[in-house]
């Protein structure tokens, strides 16, 4: 399957990318984010939230795994870094199949619970401080999305 990528030289570029994507999202879309600490997963999510018309500040709460925000579509922001049991059922499925858009930071930690079709975004820290964002669409819907935004 094709993969798509771009280099983001600053936080605003990551946010702008997310904002463009946000404009194309629909209910039930799922975005899985991978990347080391500080790679820009939450920065991306902030941009996505802005693009969905959400005015509340999005952050990565230390002990809250799922946060919900209201915009053009609801945004379900999950950070599963602290999920210790990959199979623990915290009701993820209801969000994936819900009326909003779900973003999951550290998605591989709940891999078995993820939907088959999603947009996987890998964020890499380059040596010069830039971020490389690599998209791997799983399923036609996400393939089409990638063709539009890259
Ligand atoms: N091109 C860039 N894209 C995104 N963030 C960048 C970029 N350049 C620098 N940064 C900075 O890197 C940091 C990214 O932090 P962020 O919280 O988004 O990462 P994260 O992947 O969510 O980390 P964590 O794993 O701790 O949740 C921010 O301080 C941001 O300003
Ligand atoms: Mg984060």
């Amino acid at each position: 399957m094709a993969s798509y990528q771009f280099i983001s030289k600053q936080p605003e570029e990551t946010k702008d990318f997310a904002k463009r994507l946000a404009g194309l999202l629909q209910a039930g879309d799922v975005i899985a984010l991978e990347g080391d600490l500080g790679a820009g997963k939450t920065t991306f999510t902030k941009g996505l939230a802005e693009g969905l018309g959400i005015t509340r500040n999005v952050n990565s709460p230390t002990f809250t795994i799922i946060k919900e925000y209201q915009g053009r579509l609801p945004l379900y922001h999950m950070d599963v870094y602290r999920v210790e049991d990959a199979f623990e059922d915290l009701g993820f499925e209801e969000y994936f199949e819900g009326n909003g858009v779900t973003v999951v930071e550290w998605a591989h930690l709940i891999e078995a619970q993820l939907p088959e079709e999603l947009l996987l975004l890998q964020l890499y820290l380059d040596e010069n401080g830039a971020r490389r964002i690599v998209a791997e669409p799983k399923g036609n819907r996400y393939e089409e999305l990638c063709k539009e935004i890259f």
Side-chain angles (χ1 to χ4, degrees), residues 33-70:
L33 300 179
E34 298 291 352
D36 290 339
L37 291 168
K41 301 180 293 298
T42 301
T43 301
F44 169 89
T45 308
K46 286 173 186 278
L48 199 83
E50 253 187 82
L52 289 171
I54 290 158
T55 49
R56 258 174 73 205
N57 184 45
V58 170
N59 54 18
S60 256
T62 314
F63 296 107
T64 314
I65 289 168
I66 304 172
K67 277 196 137 186
E68 196 170 331
Y69 301 88
Q70 294 304 326

PDB file of all heavy atoms in Angstrom, residues 33-70:
ATOM      1  N   LEU A  33      -2.031   7.689  16.105  1.00  0.00           N
ATOM      2  CA  LEU A  33      -0.780   8.443  16.119  1.00  0.00           C
ATOM      3  C   LEU A  33       0.311   7.658  16.818  1.00  0.00           C
ATOM      4  O   LEU A  33       0.106   7.146  17.922  1.00  0.00           O
ATOM      5  CB  LEU A  33      -0.969   9.786  16.839  1.00  0.00           C
ATOM      6  CG  LEU A  33      -1.999  10.750  16.255  1.00  0.00           C
ATOM      7  CD1 LEU A  33      -2.061  12.010  17.112  1.00  0.00           C
ATOM      8  CD2 LEU A  33      -1.661  11.109  14.813  1.00  0.00           C
ATOM      9  N   GLU A  34       1.458   7.579  16.158  1.00  0.00           N
ATOM     10  CA  GLU A  34       2.616   6.916  16.758  1.00  0.00           C
ATOM     11  C   GLU A  34       3.797   7.866  16.683  1.00  0.00           C
ATOM     12  O   GLU A  34       3.895   8.676  15.759  1.00  0.00           O
ATOM     13  CB  GLU A  34       2.972   5.652  15.969  1.00  0.00           C
ATOM     14  CG  GLU A  34       1.879   4.604  15.946  1.00  0.00           C
ATOM     15  CD  GLU A  34       1.637   3.950  17.297  1.00  0.00           C
ATOM     16  OE1 GLU A  34       2.417   4.199  18.245  1.00  0.00           O
ATOM     17  OE2 GLU A  34       0.658   3.204  17.396  1.00  0.00           O
ATOM     18  N   GLY A  35       4.702   7.735  17.618  1.00  0.00           N
ATOM     19  CA  GLY A  35       5.885   8.587  17.612  1.00  0.00           C
ATOM     20  C   GLY A  35       6.370   8.786  19.027  1.00  0.00           C
ATOM     21  O   GLY A  35       5.579   8.750  19.964  1.00  0.00           O
ATOM     22  N   ASP A  36       7.666   8.999  19.142  1.00  0.00           N
ATOM     23  CA  ASP A  36       8.275   9.118  20.464  1.00  0.00           C
ATOM     24  C   ASP A  36       7.726  10.304  21.245  1.00  0.00           C
ATOM     25  O   ASP A  36       7.042  11.164  20.690  1.00  0.00           O
ATOM     26  CB  ASP A  36       9.793   9.293  20.317  1.00  0.00           C
ATOM     27  CG  ASP A  36      10.438   8.004  19.839  1.00  0.00           C
ATOM     28  OD1 ASP A  36       9.818   6.932  20.008  1.00  0.00           O
ATOM     29  OD2 ASP A  36      11.543   8.083  19.280  1.00  0.00           O
ATOM     30  N   LEU A  37       8.087  10.342  22.514  1.00  0.00           N
ATOM     31  CA  LEU A  37       7.760  11.487  23.369  1.00  0.00           C
ATOM     32  C   LEU A  37       8.174  12.779  22.674  1.00  0.00           C
ATOM     33  O   LEU A  37       9.305  12.888  22.209  1.00  0.00           O
ATOM     34  CB  LEU A  37       8.524  11.391  24.692  1.00  0.00           C
ATOM     35  CG  LEU A  37       8.109  10.265  25.661  1.00  0.00           C
ATOM     36  CD1 LEU A  37       9.150  10.124  26.761  1.00  0.00           C
ATOM     37  CD2 LEU A  37       6.751  10.571  26.257  1.00  0.00           C
ATOM     38  N   GLY A  38       7.256  13.717  22.593  1.00  0.00           N
ATOM     39  CA  GLY A  38       7.593  15.006  22.007  1.00  0.00           C
ATOM     40  C   GLY A  38       7.636  15.033  20.490  1.00  0.00           C
ATOM     41  O   GLY A  38       8.042  16.020  19.883  1.00  0.00           O
ATOM     42  N   ALA A  39       7.182  13.964  19.865  1.00  0.00           N
ATOM     43  CA  ALA A  39       7.223  13.925  18.401  1.00  0.00           C
ATOM     44  C   ALA A  39       6.185  14.856  17.774  1.00  0.00           C
ATOM     45  O   ALA A  39       6.340  15.276  16.626  1.00  0.00           O
ATOM     46  CB  ALA A  39       7.010  12.494  17.905  1.00  0.00           C
ATOM     47  N   GLY A  40       5.150  15.171  18.529  1.00  0.00           N
ATOM     48  CA  GLY A  40       4.154  16.110  18.005  1.00  0.00           C
ATOM     49  C   GLY A  40       2.743  15.560  17.913  1.00  0.00           C
ATOM     50  O   GLY A  40       1.882  16.152  17.254  1.00  0.00           O
ATOM     51  N   LYS A  41       2.469  14.465  18.595  1.00  0.00           N
ATOM     52  CA  LYS A  41       1.138  13.850  18.532  1.00  0.00           C
ATOM     53  C   LYS A  41       0.059  14.790  19.078  1.00  0.00           C
ATOM     54  O   LYS A  41      -0.993  14.967  18.477  1.00  0.00           O
ATOM     55  CB  LYS A  41       1.131  12.516  19.313  1.00  0.00           C
ATOM     56  CG  LYS A  41       2.154  11.508  18.777  1.00  0.00           C
ATOM     57  CD  LYS A  41       2.143  10.186  19.543  1.00  0.00           C
ATOM     58  CE  LYS A  41       2.616  10.274  20.980  1.00  0.00           C
ATOM     59  NZ  LYS A  41       4.018  10.708  21.142  1.00  0.00           N
ATOM     60  N   THR A  42       0.352  15.382  20.219  1.00  0.00           N
ATOM     61  CA  THR A  42      -0.639  16.294  20.805  1.00  0.00           C
ATOM     62  C   THR A  42      -0.721  17.593  20.004  1.00  0.00           C
ATOM     63  O   THR A  42      -1.814  18.152  19.821  1.00  0.00           O
ATOM     64  CB  THR A  42      -0.318  16.561  22.289  1.00  0.00           C
ATOM     65  OG1 THR A  42      -0.312  15.309  22.986  1.00  0.00           O
ATOM     66  CG2 THR A  42      -1.358  17.469  22.927  1.00  0.00           C
ATOM     67  N   THR A  43       0.402  18.042  19.491  1.00  0.00           N
ATOM     68  CA  THR A  43       0.409  19.245  18.646  1.00  0.00           C
ATOM     69  C   THR A  43      -0.491  19.019  17.427  1.00  0.00           C
ATOM     70  O   THR A  43      -1.302  19.888  17.064  1.00  0.00           O
ATOM     71  CB  THR A  43       1.849  19.567  18.198  1.00  0.00           C
ATOM     72  OG1 THR A  43       2.650  19.762  19.369  1.00  0.00           O
ATOM     73  CG2 THR A  43       1.904  20.808  17.322  1.00  0.00           C
ATOM     74  N   PHE A  44      -0.355  17.857  16.825  1.00  0.00           N
ATOM     75  CA  PHE A  44      -1.216  17.488  15.705  1.00  0.00           C
ATOM     76  C   PHE A  44      -2.688  17.525  16.141  1.00  0.00           C
ATOM     77  O   PHE A  44      -3.541  18.084  15.444  1.00  0.00           O
ATOM     78  CB  PHE A  44      -0.847  16.082  15.198  1.00  0.00           C
ATOM     79  CG  PHE A  44      -1.831  15.512  14.234  1.00  0.00           C
ATOM     80  CD1 PHE A  44      -1.703  15.742  12.872  1.00  0.00           C
ATOM     81  CD2 PHE A  44      -2.914  14.762  14.693  1.00  0.00           C
ATOM     82  CE1 PHE A  44      -2.650  15.231  11.980  1.00  0.00           C
ATOM     83  CE2 PHE A  44      -3.857  14.261  13.804  1.00  0.00           C
ATOM     84  CZ  PHE A  44      -3.720  14.493  12.448  1.00  0.00           C
ATOM     85  N   THR A  45      -2.965  16.954  17.297  1.00  0.00           N
ATOM     86  CA  THR A  45      -4.353  16.868  17.772  1.00  0.00           C
ATOM     87  C   THR A  45      -4.927  18.260  18.039  1.00  0.00           C
ATOM     88  O   THR A  45      -6.108  18.519  17.785  1.00  0.00           O
ATOM     89  CB  THR A  45      -4.427  15.988  19.035  1.00  0.00           C
ATOM     90  OG1 THR A  45      -3.774  14.742  18.773  1.00  0.00           O
ATOM     91  CG2 THR A  45      -5.871  15.728  19.440  1.00  0.00           C
ATOM     92  N   LYS A  46      -4.090  19.162  18.527  1.00  0.00           N
ATOM     93  CA  LYS A  46      -4.536  20.548  18.735  1.00  0.00           C
ATOM     94  C   LYS A  46      -4.958  21.176  17.412  1.00  0.00           C
ATOM     95  O   LYS A  46      -5.972  21.871  17.329  1.00  0.00           O
ATOM     96  CB  LYS A  46      -3.415  21.391  19.366  1.00  0.00           C
ATOM     97  CG  LYS A  46      -3.168  21.119  20.843  1.00  0.00           C
ATOM     98  CD  LYS A  46      -1.922  21.891  21.307  1.00  0.00           C
ATOM     99  CE  LYS A  46      -1.523  21.554  22.730  1.00  0.00           C
ATOM    100  NZ  LYS A  46      -2.306  22.295  23.738  1.00  0.00           N
ATOM    101  N   GLY A  47      -4.157  20.944  16.381  1.00  0.00           N
ATOM    102  CA  GLY A  47      -4.492  21.487  15.067  1.00  0.00           C
ATOM    103  C   GLY A  47      -5.778  20.883  14.530  1.00  0.00           C
ATOM    104  O   GLY A  47      -6.619  21.571  13.954  1.00  0.00           O
ATOM    105  N   LEU A  48      -5.917  19.592  14.740  1.00  0.00           N
ATOM    106  CA  LEU A  48      -7.127  18.911  14.280  1.00  0.00           C
ATOM    107  C   LEU A  48      -8.360  19.495  14.980  1.00  0.00           C
ATOM    108  O   LEU A  48      -9.386  19.752  14.350  1.00  0.00           O
ATOM    109  CB  LEU A  48      -7.011  17.407  14.570  1.00  0.00           C
ATOM    110  CG  LEU A  48      -7.943  16.524  13.761  1.00  0.00           C
ATOM    111  CD1 LEU A  48      -7.347  16.234  12.384  1.00  0.00           C
ATOM    112  CD2 LEU A  48      -8.218  15.215  14.489  1.00  0.00           C
ATOM    113  N   ALA A  49      -8.217  19.718  16.281  1.00  0.00           N
ATOM    114  CA  ALA A  49      -9.326  20.280  17.056  1.00  0.00           C
ATOM    115  C   ALA A  49      -9.695  21.667  16.518  1.00  0.00           C
ATOM    116  O   ALA A  49     -10.871  21.978  16.311  1.00  0.00           O
ATOM    117  CB  ALA A  49      -8.946  20.358  18.529  1.00  0.00           C
ATOM    118  N   GLU A  50      -8.686  22.476  16.271  1.00  0.00           N
ATOM    119  CA  GLU A  50      -8.943  23.810  15.710  1.00  0.00           C
ATOM    120  C   GLU A  50      -9.694  23.697  14.395  1.00  0.00           C
ATOM    121  O   GLU A  50     -10.650  24.422  14.142  1.00  0.00           O
ATOM    122  CB  GLU A  50      -7.606  24.504  15.449  1.00  0.00           C
ATOM    123  CG  GLU A  50      -7.288  25.612  16.425  1.00  0.00           C
ATOM    124  CD  GLU A  50      -6.039  26.352  15.983  1.00  0.00           C
ATOM    125  OE1 GLU A  50      -6.123  27.249  15.106  1.00  0.00           O
ATOM    126  OE2 GLU A  50      -4.975  26.002  16.518  1.00  0.00           O
ATOM    127  N   GLY A  51      -9.237  22.762  13.567  1.00  0.00           N
ATOM    128  CA  GLY A  51      -9.863  22.559  12.265  1.00  0.00           C
ATOM    129  C   GLY A  51     -11.303  22.076  12.375  1.00  0.00           C
ATOM    130  O   GLY A  51     -12.094  22.241  11.454  1.00  0.00           O
ATOM    131  N   LEU A  52     -11.635  21.462  13.494  1.00  0.00           N
ATOM    132  CA  LEU A  52     -13.014  21.004  13.718  1.00  0.00           C
ATOM    133  C   LEU A  52     -13.838  22.088  14.411  1.00  0.00           C
ATOM    134  O   LEU A  52     -14.984  21.867  14.783  1.00  0.00           O
ATOM    135  CB  LEU A  52     -13.028  19.729  14.570  1.00  0.00           C
ATOM    136  CG  LEU A  52     -12.520  18.445  13.892  1.00  0.00           C
ATOM    137  CD1 LEU A  52     -12.389  17.310  14.913  1.00  0.00           C
ATOM    138  CD2 LEU A  52     -13.444  18.022  12.757  1.00  0.00           C
ATOM    139  N   GLY A  53     -13.221  23.249  14.604  1.00  0.00           N
ATOM    140  CA  GLY A  53     -13.946  24.360  15.207  1.00  0.00           C
ATOM    141  C   GLY A  53     -14.044  24.275  16.718  1.00  0.00           C
ATOM    142  O   GLY A  53     -14.909  24.902  17.334  1.00  0.00           O
ATOM    143  N   ILE A  54     -13.169  23.495  17.333  1.00  0.00           N
ATOM    144  CA  ILE A  54     -13.172  23.353  18.787  1.00  0.00           C
ATOM    145  C   ILE A  54     -12.361  24.496  19.379  1.00  0.00           C
ATOM    146  O   ILE A  54     -11.228  24.754  18.948  1.00  0.00           O
ATOM    147  CB  ILE A  54     -12.579  21.982  19.189  1.00  0.00           C
ATOM    148  CG1 ILE A  54     -13.558  20.874  18.772  1.00  0.00           C
ATOM    149  CG2 ILE A  54     -12.264  21.915  20.684  1.00  0.00           C
ATOM    150  CD1 ILE A  54     -12.938  19.511  18.613  1.00  0.00           C
ATOM    151  N   THR A  55     -12.946  25.190  20.350  1.00  0.00           N
ATOM    152  CA  THR A  55     -12.254  26.356  20.907  1.00  0.00           C
ATOM    153  C   THR A  55     -11.577  26.029  22.240  1.00  0.00           C
ATOM    154  O   THR A  55     -10.655  26.715  22.649  1.00  0.00           O
ATOM    155  CB  THR A  55     -13.237  27.534  21.102  1.00  0.00           C
ATOM    156  OG1 THR A  55     -14.395  27.046  21.780  1.00  0.00           O
ATOM    157  CG2 THR A  55     -13.669  28.100  19.761  1.00  0.00           C
ATOM    158  N   ARG A  56     -12.051  24.972  22.906  1.00  0.00           N
ATOM    159  CA  ARG A  56     -11.402  24.573  24.167  1.00  0.00           C
ATOM    160  C   ARG A  56      -9.982  24.121  23.906  1.00  0.00           C
ATOM    161  O   ARG A  56      -9.680  23.550  22.868  1.00  0.00           O
ATOM    162  CB  ARG A  56     -12.183  23.429  24.805  1.00  0.00           C
ATOM    163  CG  ARG A  56     -13.065  23.848  25.958  1.00  0.00           C
ATOM    164  CD  ARG A  56     -13.901  22.669  26.437  1.00  0.00           C
ATOM    165  NE  ARG A  56     -13.115  21.686  27.156  1.00  0.00           N
ATOM    166  CZ  ARG A  56     -13.461  20.391  27.254  1.00  0.00           C
ATOM    167  NH1 ARG A  56     -14.545  19.943  26.650  1.00  0.00           N
ATOM    168  NH2 ARG A  56     -12.710  19.566  27.952  1.00  0.00           N
ATOM    169  N   ASN A  57      -9.120  24.371  24.867  1.00  0.00           N
ATOM    170  CA  ASN A  57      -7.720  23.951  24.730  1.00  0.00           C
ATOM    171  C   ASN A  57      -7.607  22.429  24.870  1.00  0.00           C
ATOM    172  O   ASN A  57      -8.140  21.838  25.787  1.00  0.00           O
ATOM    173  CB  ASN A  57      -6.880  24.648  25.800  1.00  0.00           C
ATOM    174  CG  ASN A  57      -5.413  24.307  25.639  1.00  0.00           C
ATOM    175  OD1 ASN A  57      -4.870  24.331  24.525  1.00  0.00           O
ATOM    176  ND2 ASN A  57      -4.765  23.960  26.729  1.00  0.00           N
ATOM    177  N   VAL A  58      -6.917  21.832  23.933  1.00  0.00           N
ATOM    178  CA  VAL A  58      -6.682  20.393  23.970  1.00  0.00           C
ATOM    179  C   VAL A  58      -5.313  20.139  24.582  1.00  0.00           C
ATOM    180  O   VAL A  58      -4.327  20.733  24.160  1.00  0.00           O
ATOM    181  CB  VAL A  58      -6.728  19.805  22.534  1.00  0.00           C
ATOM    182  CG1 VAL A  58      -6.256  18.364  22.518  1.00  0.00           C
ATOM    183  CG2 VAL A  58      -8.139  19.932  21.960  1.00  0.00           C
ATOM    184  N   ASN A  59      -5.256  19.292  25.592  1.00  0.00           N
ATOM    185  CA  ASN A  59      -3.953  18.914  26.147  1.00  0.00           C
ATOM    186  C   ASN A  59      -3.942  17.417  26.393  1.00  0.00           C
ATOM    187  O   ASN A  59      -4.928  16.745  26.185  1.00  0.00           O
ATOM    188  CB  ASN A  59      -3.658  19.705  27.422  1.00  0.00           C
ATOM    189  CG  ASN A  59      -4.785  19.571  28.426  1.00  0.00           C
ATOM    190  OD1 ASN A  59      -5.607  18.667  28.332  1.00  0.00           O
ATOM    191  ND2 ASN A  59      -4.840  20.474  29.377  1.00  0.00           N
ATOM    192  N   SER A  60      -2.790  16.920  26.798  1.00  0.00           N
ATOM    193  CA  SER A  60      -2.698  15.493  27.101  1.00  0.00           C
ATOM    194  C   SER A  60      -2.715  15.332  28.604  1.00  0.00           C
ATOM    195  O   SER A  60      -1.697  15.441  29.255  1.00  0.00           O
ATOM    196  CB  SER A  60      -1.413  14.900  26.526  1.00  0.00           C
ATOM    197  OG  SER A  60      -1.705  14.178  25.381  1.00  0.00           O
ATOM    198  N   PRO A  61      -3.876  15.083  29.149  1.00  0.00           N
ATOM    199  CA  PRO A  61      -3.969  14.971  30.597  1.00  0.00           C
ATOM    200  C   PRO A  61      -3.230  13.735  31.073  1.00  0.00           C
ATOM    201  O   PRO A  61      -3.220  12.713  30.404  1.00  0.00           O
ATOM    202  CB  PRO A  61      -5.465  14.832  30.843  1.00  0.00           C
ATOM    203  CG  PRO A  61      -6.004  14.292  29.562  1.00  0.00           C
ATOM    204  CD  PRO A  61      -5.109  14.730  28.469  1.00  0.00           C
ATOM    205  N   THR A  62      -2.617  13.835  32.219  1.00  0.00           N
ATOM    206  CA  THR A  62      -1.778  12.734  32.678  1.00  0.00           C
ATOM    207  C   THR A  62      -2.582  11.489  33.019  1.00  0.00           C
ATOM    208  O   THR A  62      -2.166  10.380  32.724  1.00  0.00           O
ATOM    209  CB  THR A  62      -0.973  13.185  33.905  1.00  0.00           C
ATOM    210  OG1 THR A  62      -0.445  14.468  33.598  1.00  0.00           O
ATOM    211  CG2 THR A  62       0.182  12.255  34.166  1.00  0.00           C
ATOM    212  N   PHE A  63      -3.725  11.677  33.648  1.00  0.00           N
ATOM    213  CA  PHE A  63      -4.432  10.492  34.121  1.00  0.00           C
ATOM    214  C   PHE A  63      -5.771  10.246  33.447  1.00  0.00           C
ATOM    215  O   PHE A  63      -6.504   9.349  33.826  1.00  0.00           O
ATOM    216  CB  PHE A  63      -4.595  10.555  35.647  1.00  0.00           C
ATOM    217  CG  PHE A  63      -3.270  10.519  36.337  1.00  0.00           C
ATOM    218  CD1 PHE A  63      -2.732  11.652  36.928  1.00  0.00           C
ATOM    219  CD2 PHE A  63      -2.518   9.347  36.347  1.00  0.00           C
ATOM    220  CE1 PHE A  63      -1.487  11.625  37.539  1.00  0.00           C
ATOM    221  CE2 PHE A  63      -1.268   9.298  36.955  1.00  0.00           C
ATOM    222  CZ  PHE A  63      -0.758  10.443  37.553  1.00  0.00           C
ATOM    223  N   THR A  64      -6.100  11.060  32.459  1.00  0.00           N
ATOM    224  CA  THR A  64      -7.354  10.849  31.740  1.00  0.00           C
ATOM    225  C   THR A  64      -7.028  10.211  30.407  1.00  0.00           C
ATOM    226  O   THR A  64      -6.190  10.713  29.665  1.00  0.00           O
ATOM    227  CB  THR A  64      -8.080  12.189  31.497  1.00  0.00           C
ATOM    228  OG1 THR A  64      -8.059  12.927  32.700  1.00  0.00           O
ATOM    229  CG2 THR A  64      -9.508  11.972  31.044  1.00  0.00           C
ATOM    230  N   ILE A  65      -7.655   9.116  30.123  1.00  0.00           N
ATOM    231  CA  ILE A  65      -7.320   8.402  28.893  1.00  0.00           C
ATOM    232  C   ILE A  65      -8.139   8.907  27.708  1.00  0.00           C
ATOM    233  O   ILE A  65      -7.644   8.996  26.596  1.00  0.00           O
ATOM    234  CB  ILE A  65      -7.482   6.883  29.113  1.00  0.00           C
ATOM    235  CG1 ILE A  65      -6.344   6.422  30.026  1.00  0.00           C
ATOM    236  CG2 ILE A  65      -7.460   6.107  27.798  1.00  0.00           C
ATOM    237  CD1 ILE A  65      -6.489   5.041  30.564  1.00  0.00           C
ATOM    238  N   ILE A  66      -9.378   9.269  27.983  1.00  0.00           N
ATOM    239  CA  ILE A  66     -10.238   9.725  26.890  1.00  0.00           C
ATOM    240  C   ILE A  66     -10.845  11.077  27.246  1.00  0.00           C
ATOM    241  O   ILE A  66     -11.405  11.242  28.330  1.00  0.00           O
ATOM    242  CB  ILE A  66     -11.393   8.732  26.640  1.00  0.00           C
ATOM    243  CG1 ILE A  66     -10.849   7.331  26.375  1.00  0.00           C
ATOM    244  CG2 ILE A  66     -12.269   9.211  25.476  1.00  0.00           C
ATOM    245  CD1 ILE A  66     -11.913   6.252  26.316  1.00  0.00           C
ATOM    246  N   LYS A  67     -10.696  12.022  26.337  1.00  0.00           N
ATOM    247  CA  LYS A  67     -11.344  13.321  26.511  1.00  0.00           C
ATOM    248  C   LYS A  67     -12.189  13.622  25.292  1.00  0.00           C
ATOM    249  O   LYS A  67     -11.816  13.295  24.168  1.00  0.00           O
ATOM    250  CB  LYS A  67     -10.295  14.430  26.700  1.00  0.00           C
ATOM    251  CG  LYS A  67      -9.787  14.556  28.105  1.00  0.00           C
ATOM    252  CD  LYS A  67      -9.090  15.888  28.278  1.00  0.00           C
ATOM    253  CE  LYS A  67      -9.458  16.567  29.575  1.00  0.00           C
ATOM    254  NZ  LYS A  67      -8.869  17.917  29.656  1.00  0.00           N
ATOM    255  N   GLU A  68     -13.294  14.287  25.528  1.00  0.00           N
ATOM    256  CA  GLU A  68     -14.246  14.549  24.462  1.00  0.00           C
ATOM    257  C   GLU A  68     -14.434  16.051  24.298  1.00  0.00           C
ATOM    258  O   GLU A  68     -14.548  16.766  25.287  1.00  0.00           O
ATOM    259  CB  GLU A  68     -15.576  13.893  24.877  1.00  0.00           C
ATOM    260  CG  GLU A  68     -16.545  13.725  23.760  1.00  0.00           C
ATOM    261  CD  GLU A  68     -17.739  12.864  24.168  1.00  0.00           C
ATOM    262  OE1 GLU A  68     -17.594  11.976  25.056  1.00  0.00           O
ATOM    263  OE2 GLU A  68     -18.819  13.092  23.618  1.00  0.00           O
ATOM    264  N   TYR A  69     -14.420  16.509  23.064  1.00  0.00           N
ATOM    265  CA  TYR A  69     -14.581  17.939  22.772  1.00  0.00           C
ATOM    266  C   TYR A  69     -15.676  18.111  21.730  1.00  0.00           C
ATOM    267  O   TYR A  69     -15.827  17.265  20.852  1.00  0.00           O
ATOM    268  CB  TYR A  69     -13.279  18.518  22.205  1.00  0.00           C
ATOM    269  CG  TYR A  69     -12.093  18.383  23.121  1.00  0.00           C
ATOM    270  CD1 TYR A  69     -11.311  17.230  23.089  1.00  0.00           C
ATOM    271  CD2 TYR A  69     -11.756  19.389  24.013  1.00  0.00           C
ATOM    272  CE1 TYR A  69     -10.220  17.082  23.930  1.00  0.00           C
ATOM    273  CE2 TYR A  69     -10.655  19.261  24.854  1.00  0.00           C
ATOM    274  CZ  TYR A  69      -9.895  18.098  24.810  1.00  0.00           C
ATOM    275  OH  TYR A  69      -8.813  17.964  25.644  1.00  0.00           O
ATOM    276  N   GLN A  70     -16.400  19.222  21.809  1.00  0.00           N
ATOM    277  CA  GLN A  70     -17.472  19.476  20.850  1.00  0.00           C
ATOM    278  C   GLN A  70     -17.051  20.493  19.801  1.00  0.00           C
ATOM    279  O   GLN A  70     -16.622  21.579  20.126  1.00  0.00           O
ATOM    280  CB  GLN A  70     -18.733  19.999  21.564  1.00  0.00           C
ATOM    281  CG  GLN A  70     -19.373  18.981  22.503  1.00  0.00           C
ATOM    282  CD  GLN A  70     -19.739  17.660  21.828  1.00  0.00           C
ATOM    283  OE1 GLN A  70     -20.123  17.633  20.655  1.00  0.00           O
ATOM    284  NE2 GLN A  70     -19.608  16.567  22.565  1.00  0.00           N
TER     285      GLN A  70
END
